[in-house]
Amino acid sequence: MRFLLDDEQREFARTLDDMLTAADTPAAVRDWATGDHARGRELWARLADAGVLALAVPERHDGLGPLPLELTVALTELGRHAVPGPYVETVTVAAFLDRLGDEATATTWLPDIAAGQRTVSLALLTPASPYALDPDAADAVFAVDGDTLRLAESADEIQPSADPARRLARPRGGTVLAQGPPVRAAAAHALNVAALATAAQSLGLGRALLTRTVEYARQRSQFGVPIGSFQAVKHRLADTLIGLEFAQPLVHSAALALAADDPAGGREIAAAKVAAGEAAYVASRTALQLHGALGYTEELDLSLWIRKARPLRDAWGTPAACRAGVLADGLAGDGTDDRAGGRVAAGRPERSA
Amino acid sequence: MDLDSTPQQDTVRREARAWLSARVPTTPLPSLETREGFAAHREWERTLHADRWSVVSWPEEYGGRGCSVLEWLTFEEEYYAAGAPGRVSQNGINLLAPTLFEHGTDEQRARVLPPMASGEVIWAQAWSEPEAGSDLASLRSTAVRTRGGWLLSGQKTWSSRAAFADRAFGLFRSDPDAGKPHHGLTYVMFPLDANGVTVRPIGRLDGKPAFAEIFLDEVFVPDQDVIGEPGRGWRVAMSTASNERGLTLRSPGRFTAAANRLVELWRRRAGPAGPGDPAGPAGLAGHVDTALRDRVADAVIGARAYQLFTYAGAARLAAGGAIGAESSLNKVFWSEYDIALHETALDLLGPYGELADHAGDSPGHGGWTEGYTFALAGPVYAGSNEIQRDIIAERLLGLPKGRR
């Protein structure tokens, strides 16, 4: 057992972090919120070059994956920089199509997704949400309703989110691509992938909020001393760190469970989603409070992170749904038998040969 | 990155599970904070030791099995999953032994460790004083040089287990003229039945004598009972306050088992009362709402998070890294988690939650009341959570020092 990211995974994270730091990502976020996708698309292309969009696509379709752990590493960095766009949705479509087993559809979409050539979005109408993220920036929107997969013809008008960089709309009409139990099974898998990716995104978002707030508390003086020397401030920041530190291993173990197709994977992912979503939301409240009135302004770039925390906490598995999932069969469980499962793994149980 | 057990972990798991299933008492022992329970738990330590299960992470020469941190974690998971008794000797094993391994002499290790491993000598800690709690370095008890050793005088307090323990360890001021409060302190082991020692038990919140005051009046201790250099006691004590001990002070196995018991309790409360259901008076069955369900889920999530965080720490140690101030993250997390978990259990028990653990109806509680009382002390002892949060803020986040 070695529960630690390896050097290559750390290096991957560092590369993405450096790239996004140098890229003036906040400007891309602000443009995106007005429907101007030019800078966001540039970032998309560069992240695709770095391999991010190939992580959920299998090698036989020109991808690098599926590599759930690397996917969480990448999404954490995207969250850290509040990168706009339907990344979670695109990698989730990739995982969905890979799992669906319809070779023609997979061949049509997966190589282009892996290469960053096509941006897609997805609505899992039941049980997740009626909306697809950023359909106006996507080349295609997939919609799953029960056991039916459609390629939407269009989307309704944009429903602005509390995070202006998240643009939501209901998919409309379209042709049926597949139908039947395999669609349902692939959707269950897709929901897990989306929840995991969102959890990772939350984790990065929360880390960024904490880092910025610590910096601010060190340099902002009141009563002649940095506010970061006051215990009330310190302790709030310490609690914020604790939330993030204990969410991170849940995200990584959930990725390992997904990679291993562990039957308990849904529960692990649900746990990771709750912990990371809540920790990032706590970080956003801490950031807002400790920045004072400044933190309440739209003008400060901090707002780009603050406003994203709560939508991410609720996207692809609300805390309530995830908590129920932890005690049942995970997110994709039908939720009718709350009393099944729910045991905490005590390490890996011995496997039968 | 993986979570796969090593073959050694599998072996420990298999052997421990077999041994525990044969040996764990079928009826819980009396509370170890009572005289009767203390004796029963000491006897259990002897049983563990007879088959080398009392100190698995120690070298074999001292009664251990030379287990790695990961193997120790596995043992602990099995130990608590089996419902085995609490460890009356944990102060010695978790706090004193690591200090002896790092700073003791061979003679001290050979003399002190084997009887600690067998439960023959149970250790209490003697850190706090009436005027030195969180500000431990302001302690006033003295060690005065005398021929062949030291004379200890002063008052220690809040000494866990001291009501029934055999010996204690702590810090004493040996050089009152040293420049700073944490200079001139000496780390000493002393017998609780020596001339000049008076132990006055203190009842904790539920009245059990879980800790005590210790009065010392020129108590002689020989030089060989000083650990490390005289005057350097602060460093000796603090060097083992983090690192591996920070990882192992509260084993994840304990919370994994508690969370699983909580899920069992919740299932019984959420479902119809069955025959022989100890916590399920029929009138309460089914009275569990989603708010309680969410808290049960949080207990499951927290236990898993703590377990995984510890695995990650073990991996960092194995890779040559160190654990310093990170142990403060652990301490705040588990101590607050433990209370939340027990509060949830008591809420699931409804009107039965307030019953004391010795109440006639209480066997069905599964120890939740006692566990709750025990958990309440967590944020206070072993460095209060306020101190831990200061450490986290200053040493992990780099915030400036300020007034405490």
Side-chain angles (χ1 to χ4, degrees), chain A residues 225-262:
Chain A
V225 290
I227 61 168
S229 66
F230 300 135
Q231 261 190 330
V233 171
K234 279 182 183 169
H235 289 192
R236 188 157 186 165
L237 289 166
D239 283 336
T240 304
L241 177 66
I242 289 170
L244 293 164
E245 286 285 343
F246 282 86
Q248 179 167 301
L250 286 168
V251 171
H252 289 156
S253 81
L256 291 178
L258 189 68
D261 239 333
D262 189 329

Side-chain angles (χ1 to χ4, degrees), chain B residues 246-281:
Chain B
L247 206 60
T248 57
L249 188 61
R250 264 298 172 283
S251 71
R254 185 188 178 104
F255 299 121
T256 303
N260 284 332
R261 285 174 51 234
L262 185 72
V263 171
E264 297 294 326
L265 178 64
W266 168 70
R267 278 191 204 151
R268 288 207 307 270
R269 307 301 291 152
D277 176 355

Side-chain angles (χ1 to χ4, degrees), chain B residues 336-377:
Chain B
E336 300 201 335
Y337 170 83
D338 203 16
I339 292 177
L341 179 144
H342 282 89
E343 286 173 341
T344 304
L346 296 186
D347 285 351
L348 284 167
L349 289 167
Y352 301 87
E354 78 164 278
L355 293 180
D357 54 291
H358 56 275
D361 281 0
S362 158
H365 284 189
W368 291 115
T369 312
E370 168 98 9
Y372 172 66
T373 306
F374 183 79
L376 282 177

Side-chain angles (χ1 to χ4, degrees), chain B residues 24-39:
Chain B
V24 169
T26 44
T27 37
L29 303 182
S31 167
L32 65 79
E33 312 293 10
T34 62
R35 183 174 296 282
E36 175 201 14
F38 197 91

